[in-house]
Each structure stands twice: as structure tokens, then as C-alpha cells.
Amino acid sequence: GSRSVQQGAAGGDGSAGGAVAHTPSTEDFSLSLLDTNLPAETEMELRSFIAKRLTKGALFEGMGNVVAVELSIPEGKVGCYYCRFQQESLLEMATLESDINAPEYVICFLGGSEKEDTFRLELDKYIQNLKINFDLEQKKSEACVSLYLRSWFEDAICPIQRVVQLFQDKLASLLHAALSYTPVEVKNADEGTEKDISRFLAAASLQGLVQEGTMTSLCIAMTEEQHKSMVIDCSGPQPQLHNAGSNRFCEDWMQAFVNGAEGGNPFLFRQILENFKLKAIQDINNLKRFIRQAEMNHYALFKCYLFLKSCGSGDILLKIVKVEHAEMPEARNVVTVLEEFMRE
């Protein structure tokens, strides 16, 4: 039957907007504008682009996409994040009563480049929050929705940048905590700063990149070592860290963040963070390969030791492989020997 579609368009300065449509069929519908900060001509171009995507069935519920679009604006080609969704409450009603046509919405955010793709998961969560917490059908909430949409850039894109600027040379300890799954307690911080730190730790961790069982075991192991919990005290202008850990690997990457701070580009910070995690995963995989060889070869055992000494993050890598190889007797013996060598 018929459906409605709402489209929101936003500029890279953190503003946003939207549209509503009725669709007798999947190929015959119109898009109605709810809110935007784009000039009228540019908004029509974006509306045409979204309409083509809808006709092709290229928009999936709750899953954002990022593409480059050509628009009549000074930047010319910009990155566009767009996501189609239905509100949770209306979706439930439509499921219960099949003759109800629940409105559908499309939110669009325009950024400086298609590197916005590195923030796709954050923007998906941002839209999910909109679905759950705002009633788009209520006139009284329109102002709240508009305000929420216009803060997308600050809320979803800039937290990593703000944390880098806040911690500066203490960022190495935050990276170390994220990699090692060390529990972090934040004290005397405002809600915004606490959220930023939490988001940074989530973005810097290897969640989804290492085996889920490994991650769970590491979290349990680190939580049991309560004396190793890192405390961040934000009562002063600079955060004070207690029980903080670090290593050469995290200090080297901290320098890359500090050097990148001069340009102040949030997309650059995210790319550095992705490269940091990629290098950590490469090191874990290399160590696993050496351990497999060391089960039968003493020279390979020595290579393991040299690798751990030179990579800069031997302390974290040993914890990760120890958890992963806990059920493998031969590999566990190799890890035990490596721990003894590293202690000595």
C-alpha cells in the first residue's frame, strides 16, 4: 500500500533537516520536506538523489549508507550519509494492524568528504536514538527533533577529536586501557566529557576484531584485577590519571594523534584510530603465527621473544594470546615460557 518517507538534509557544520512522502507503489511516490538547512535548489538535487535510491530499493531499514554526491554548493562533491527508518512505536502498530501504513523517514547528513563512512556505525546509533526517544508525529516535539538533528556533527563525529584535545600526551594511557580492556572509572566530569571518553574507549577497543570469547575473557580477567582499574579525575583543567598503564606502542600512536591535532580534522583522527587498531591486529596475528611455529621449534620461540620485545605492546599481546590459547596445552606452554622471559 501507500507509505510515507521523511528526508532530512544536513550540512557539514552540524545542521540537519528532513522530508515526508506518500507512496501508492514502490515506483510512484513523492518526498515532502520537513526540515533542512540547504538552499532550495540544492535540497531539490538531494531529494532527487534519495528518490532514485528509494526507487531502486537501495535503502534498508536502520542501516545507513555513505556515498559521494554532486550538489550545487561551493564544495561540489560531498559525503552523504543517509538512513531509512520507521519509528519504533509506529512500526509496532503497523505490525499489529496490517492496514496501518506507518510513515517512513529518511535522514541525510552532509559532511566534507565521503570519509564520513568511518563514522557510519556512530551515525546509525544516532538515528536509532532518534527512533526511540522522539515522536516525529507530535508537533510539540518538532523543535526537539530539529535541535537533535542539527547537533549530529558535534555529537556523533567530534567526540574522538575532543578527547584527543583534552588528554594530549596522556592519551597513551587511554589507548592502553582500550586495548587491554582495563576498566576505566571517570570522576568529577560533566556528562558530555564522560560520554566522549566512553565513546573513545569503545572506538579504540578491538571489539568485533578479536574473537568474542577472547574479548569476554579479557574483560572478566581485567575486571577481577580491581587494583588495576584506571581512574580519570576531571576535576581540574587537565584530567589526572591514577593506576594508568602505557607502553611504547601506545606512546608512538599518541604522538600521531597529537601531531594530527594541528589540523583539527575529526575524520583524520578517526582514520588514525582505525590504523592504530589495524596495526594491533596485525601484531596479534603475527604473534599467533610465531607461537604455532614455536610449538615445534625452539628458534621460533626465540623469534616470539624478539617480536614481543620489539613490537612495543608485548604486555597486551601476551594477555590476549594467553586467553585465546588457554585450552591449547602446547601453545599455553609456549606462552608460559614467554611470560617468564618477559618478566626476567
Side-chain angles (χ1 to χ4, degrees):
S2 64
R3 70 182 184 208
S4 300
V5 181
Q6 177 175 13
Q7 168 194 339
D13 58 356
S15 315
V20 176
H22 298 282
T23 314
S25 74
T26 55
E27 296 174 353
D28 180 18
F29 61 87
S30 63
L31 289 168
S32 304
L33 180 68
L34 176 68
D35 187 21
T36 185
N37 71 329
L38 287 173
E41 181 187 354
T42 311
E43 185 273 315
M44 286 300 294
E45 291 172 348
L46 182 63
R47 190 188 301 209
S48 173
F49 167 77
I50 293 298
K52 286 176 185 174
R53 293 280 163 149
L54 285 168
T55 303
K56 292 176 182 177
L59 279 76
F60 299 102
E61 167 73 24
M63 290 174 58
N65 295 274
V66 178
V67 295
V69 291
E70 292 272 4
L71 299 172
S72 302
I73 51 177
E75 294 86 355
K77 183 180 281 191
V78 292
C80 174
Y81 167 90
Y82 59 93
C83 183
R84 177 174 74 87
F85 70 93
Q86 289 179 298
Q87 257 186 282
E88 299 289 346
S89 56
L90 295 171
L91 191 57
E92 287 170 12
M93 284 176 61
T95 305
L96 293 171
E97 302 178 44
S98 57
D99 58 331
I100 293 179
N101 295 308
E104 291 181 84
Y105 303 89
V106 178
I107 301 293
C108 300
F109 297 132
L110 300 181
S113 75
E114 55 188 308
K115 288 178 183 174
E116 210 169 301
D117 190 38
T118 57
F119 288 96
R120 187 174 55 79
L121 293 178
E122 282 87 344
L123 291 170
D124 282 351
K125 287 178 184 173
Y126 199 70
I127 300 301
Q128 185 67 25
N129 194 49
L130 176 72
K131 287 171 65 173
I132 294 168
N133 295 317
F134 294 96
D135 187 349
L136 296 170
E137 298 295 296
Q138 290 290 328
K139 293 290 183 186
K140 61 184 178 182
S141 71
E142 277 185 12
C144 296
V145 171
S146 181
L147 188 64
Y148 180 79
L149 289 175
R150 289 175 191 276
S151 63
W152 74 274
F153 196 77
E154 284 295 315
D155 288 353
I157 308 295
C158 294
I160 293 171
Q161 180 180 17
R162 287 195 293 266
V163 168
V164 171
Q165 292 169 342
L166 177 65
F167 280 79
Q168 297 179 26
D169 59 351
K170 294 177 181 175
L171 192 72
S173 295
L174 209 56
L175 292 171
H176 188 271
L179 272 190
S180 60
Y181 299 92
T182 301
V184 175
E185 185 182 349
V186 182
K187 292 183 175 179
N188 304 315
D190 59 71
E191 187 182 355
T193 301
E194 196 165 344
K195 275 186 180 176
D196 283 352
I197 293 171
S198 175
R199 286 172 179 169
F200 183 92
L201 288 167
S205 79
L206 300 182
Q207 186 170 0
L209 299 176
V210 297
Q211 296 175 21
E212 194 172 329
T214 300
M215 190 183 66
T216 304
S217 299
L218 275 169
C219 289
I220 292 169
M222 295 308 293
T223 304
E224 286 173 352
E225 299 177 29
Q226 284 300 326
H227 61 285
K228 287 195 173 181
S229 297
M230 186 170 83
V231 179
I232 303 172
D233 186 351
C234 296
S235 53
Q238 278 283 308
Q240 298 299 312
L241 310 182
H242 307 283
N243 300 329
S246 186
N247 58 31
R248 184 161 43 82
F249 180 80
C250 293
E251 284 163 9
D252 289 345
W253 281 96
M254 174 271 296
Q255 202 57 54
F257 280 102
V258 172
N259 292 341
E262 296 173 8
N265 182 345
F267 298 105
L268 173 62
F269 288 123
R270 183 51 183 266
Q271 194 57 58
I272 294 172
L273 197 58
E274 292 303 314
N275 293 343
F276 161 79
K277 294 196 291 183
L278 179 62
K279 184 64 174 77
I281 288 293
Q282 286 174 342
D283 285 350
I284 290 169
N285 290 336
N286 281 332
L287 180 58
K288 286 181 187 175
R289 183 162 49 85
F290 288 144
I291 287 174
R292 282 197 301 270
Q293 295 168 358
E295 291 175 12
M296 300 171 288
N297 184 320
H298 285 174
Y299 177 67
L301 179 62
F302 185 62
K303 276 174 67 178
C304 278
Y305 170 68
L306 291 180
F307 177 76
L308 286 170
K309 292 288 283 184
S310 63
C311 71
S313 59
D315 57 330
I316 294 174
L317 297 188
L318 262 179
K319 281 181 184 175
I320 292 173
V321 296
K322 184 177 182 180
V323 167
E324 286 201 358
H325 294 130
E327 304 301 322
M328 305 174 191
E330 290 183 353
R332 191 175 66 233
N333 291 339
V334 172
V335 173
T336 302
V337 172
L338 288 171
E339 281 184 314
E340 290 173 6
F341 269 95
M342 293 296 283
R343 275 196 297 271
E344 290 172 10

